[in-house]
Amino acid sequence: MTIDKDKMLEYCNQFSKNTLMETLNIEFIDAGEGFLVAKMPVNSSVHQPMGLLHGGASVALAESVGSAASHFFINDKNQEVRGIEISANHLKSIREGFVIGTARIIHKGRSLHLWEIKITDEAGNLVSLCKLTNMVLTKEKQ
C-alpha cells in the first residue's frame, strides 16, 4: 500500500469537522506505512478538577487517531470502522502544552484491526499507552 501523506492528513482533518475531534482541537499531523499521528492541546478544556489532563481526553485522542488510521485499510465505499474495545494505562500527568498520539498497527485482519497508541508529551515522555480494537463492517445498502 502506497501512502500519500498529504492526502491522508487532509482527509483526516476534513472528516473531523463538526465532531468531538474538532471540539478537542485534535489535529492530524503525520502519517506513513502503518501509522498515523495526531496532536491535542492540553489546557483547561481537557483538564480534570485537579488541573491535569483528563484520562478520558487521552482516550478520546487515542480512539480518534486509531479509528482514523483504520480507514486507510478499508474500502470506504462499502466498509466502515467501529471501535469495539479500548484500554489505557495513564503513566504520567501533564498540565499544559500538547500531547501527541501515535497509532501503530499491530494486527490488520479482514474484520479486526488492533492498534497500539502511544500518547507522549512534547518532550517525548510517555503519558498514556492505549490499545484499540476496531471492527470492520460492511455498510448497509441505503
Side-chain angles (χ1 to χ4, degrees), residues 59 98 126:
V59 171
F98 282 89
L126 189 60

mmCIF file of all heavy atoms in Angstrom, residues 59 98 126:
data_model
loop_
_atom_site.group_PDB
_atom_site.id
_atom_site.type_symbol
_atom_site.label_atom_id
_atom_site.label_comp_id
_atom_site.label_asym_id
_atom_site.label_seq_id
_atom_site.Cartn_x
_atom_site.Cartn_y
_atom_site.Cartn_z
ATOM 1 N N VAL A 59 -7.999 9.155 26.145
ATOM 2 C CA VAL A 59 -8.641 8.031 25.471
ATOM 3 C C VAL A 59 -9.352 8.512 24.209
ATOM 4 O O VAL A 59 -9.325 7.832 23.173
ATOM 5 C CB VAL A 59 -9.595 7.283 26.431
ATOM 6 C CG1 VAL A 59 -10.442 6.258 25.691
ATOM 7 C CG2 VAL A 59 -8.789 6.601 27.530
ATOM 8 N N PHE A 98 1.086 20.219 24.647
ATOM 9 C CA PHE A 98 0.415 19.331 23.703
ATOM 10 C C PHE A 98 0.715 17.892 24.075
ATOM 11 O O PHE A 98 1.760 17.600 24.641
ATOM 12 C CB PHE A 98 0.921 19.566 22.270
ATOM 13 C CG PHE A 98 0.353 20.781 21.615
ATOM 14 C CD1 PHE A 98 0.985 22.006 21.748
ATOM 15 C CD2 PHE A 98 -0.813 20.708 20.866
ATOM 16 C CE1 PHE A 98 0.462 23.141 21.158
ATOM 17 C CE2 PHE A 98 -1.341 21.835 20.264
ATOM 18 C CZ PHE A 98 -0.703 23.055 20.406
ATOM 19 N N LEU A 126 6.353 9.295 27.707
ATOM 20 C CA LEU A 126 5.119 8.533 27.572
ATOM 21 C C LEU A 126 4.120 8.969 28.640
ATOM 22 O O LEU A 126 4.391 8.900 29.836
ATOM 23 C CB LEU A 126 5.417 7.034 27.688
ATOM 24 C CG LEU A 126 4.283 6.077 27.363
ATOM 25 C CD1 LEU A 126 3.796 6.258 25.922
ATOM 26 C CD2 LEU A 126 4.743 4.640 27.578
#
